[in-house]
């Protein structure tokens, strides 16, 4: 197929051959555990490749063996997802946390050090702080407003800089939308990387991907997603994904085969459905969010709006924003005057927008990070990150923008 087609033009058909499925226009759900070999010789050849006993011959496909290793729904989904980030390959998992924990387990060994950006997703933070030390992996973290020199000092202070195996970042930081410079992190990783102990850069791109940002092109080695969010996009499934160059993906996929945490055929099928509308959903969500953010920034009861579209031009942040993103996204947070009481009053009065955590879905959602998604952090760190009692986070959906604004206005009126 021509390489000139945009990913959104290929999401309906790429990688699927109707003639292999009775001519069905859509890929059916391959709800099967195992696959029949035509001959014993074919079964032998499939296993040789799957177990790495020999290299794949040119044009040789990985044969279908067993649904923990591969399945048509999974394979087509992974091929389509790779198109967005121009990745060699993708692995899809049963949750974002499964994707993230598998990557951390594969690339971190006892004695290693991981440096990560804080705040990071709560589950990731817990895994790094509480599980990794039990297998001898140390951690250090930095804040989005730390400079390159600050971060270098943090790494050196651990006394284990020669064992720095991974820099793991989440940008923009949730829930404040503070940006981290991916290229700066790439340069730092290169500075500490050696032939024996490579330092990988892993970016959680859940907040802006895959449509608005391609961290692999900015120097990331690995990109992880909670596909529960924009990729799934309908709040009806849990899934995750990893994208990277072929050699790294090979390692991720081998570990996935043995952990058995791949996504099921049914969920893969739902994700194929979701990918067809990924671009139009995300575009509409962002257009809505731009209108909502502008409206909020003029509202007398709002102190400050944290939104990528409102970063002042000419600032260093704006340069990073322009380099890393093609859109300001659909995640907005804002400070309501009056603390938790006002924030709760606002949330309780919403009629169209639902009070729930998660993000990136067709319906708009609102929540209170300090007492919900970020309640596990110690108060001092919360304060430093700007996760105050005033802060409300909204994920903007595909509804009519005027209806969303109407809802926000009527709820703010009651505050
Ligand atoms: C939701 C989320 C995760 C975890 O994904 P699950 O699909 O819930 O396991 C990881 N990172 C970010 C940024 C998220 O928003």
């Amino acid at each position: 197929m021509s390489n000139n087609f945009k990913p959104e033009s290929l999401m309906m058909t790429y990688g699927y051959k109707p003639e292999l499925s009775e001519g069905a226009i859509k890929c059916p759900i391959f709800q099967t555990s195992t696959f029949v070999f035509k001959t014993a010789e074919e079964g032998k050849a499939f296993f040789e490749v799957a177990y790495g006993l020999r290299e794949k011959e040119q044009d040789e496909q990985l044969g279908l063996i067993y649904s923990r290793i591969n399945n048509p729904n999974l394979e087509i989904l992974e091929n389509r997802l790779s198109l967005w980030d121009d990745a060699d390959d993708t692995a899809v998992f049963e949750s974002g946390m499964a994707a993230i924990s598998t990557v951390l387990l594969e690339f971190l060994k006892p004695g290693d050090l991981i440096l990560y950006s804080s705040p990071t997703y709560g589950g990731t933070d817990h895994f790094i702080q509480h599980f990794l030390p039990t297998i001898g992996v140390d951690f250090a973290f930095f804040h989005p407003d730390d400079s390159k020199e600050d971060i270098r000092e943090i790494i050196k202070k651990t006394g284990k800089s020669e064992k720095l195996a991974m820099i793991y970042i989440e940008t923009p930081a949730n829930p404040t939308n503070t940006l981290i410079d991916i290229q700066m992190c790439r340069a730092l990783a290169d500075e500490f990387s050696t032939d024996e102990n490579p330092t990988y850069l892993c970016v959680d791109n859940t907040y802006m991907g895959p449509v608005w940002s391609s961290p692999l092109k900015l120097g990331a080695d690995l990109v992880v997603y909670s596909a529960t969010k924009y990729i799934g996009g309908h709040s009806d499934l849990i899934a995750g994904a990893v994208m990277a160059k072929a050699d790294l993906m090979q390692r991720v996929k081998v570990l996935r085969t043995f952990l058995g945490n791949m996504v099921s055929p049914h969920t893969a099928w739902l994700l194929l459905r979701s990918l067809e509308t990924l671009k139009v959903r995300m575009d509409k969500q962002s257009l809505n969010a731009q209108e909502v953010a502008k409206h909020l920034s003029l509202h007398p009861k709002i102190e400050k709006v944290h939104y990528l579209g409102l970063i002042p031009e000419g600032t260093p942040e704006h340069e990073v924003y322009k380099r890393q993103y093609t859109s300001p996204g659909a995640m907005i947070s804002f400070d309501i005057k009056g603390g938790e009481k006002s924030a709760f009053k606002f949330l309780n009065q919403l009629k169209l927008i639902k009070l729930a955590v998660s993000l990136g879905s067709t319906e708009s959602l609102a929540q209170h990070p300090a007492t919900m998604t970020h309640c596990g952090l110690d108060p001092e760190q919360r304060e430093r990150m700007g996760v105050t009692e005033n802060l409300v986070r909204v994920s903007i959906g595909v509804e009519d923008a005027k209806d969303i604004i109407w809802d926000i206005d009527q709820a703010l009126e009651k505050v």
Side-chain angles (χ1 to χ4, degrees), residues 93-100 120-124 168 170-172 174 204-207 224-229 237-241 358-359 393:
F93 290 81
E94 61 188 345
S95 69
M97 280 314 302
I100 292 164
T120 192
Y121 182 73
T124 309
Y168 182 100
E170 211 179 287
T171 175
N174 170 17
D204 183 333
N205 198 33
T206 301
Y207 243 57
V224 294
Y225 287 104
S226 168
T228 310
K229 314 296 164 55
L237 61 84
I238 300 275
S358 198
L359 62 103
R393 186 189 82 179

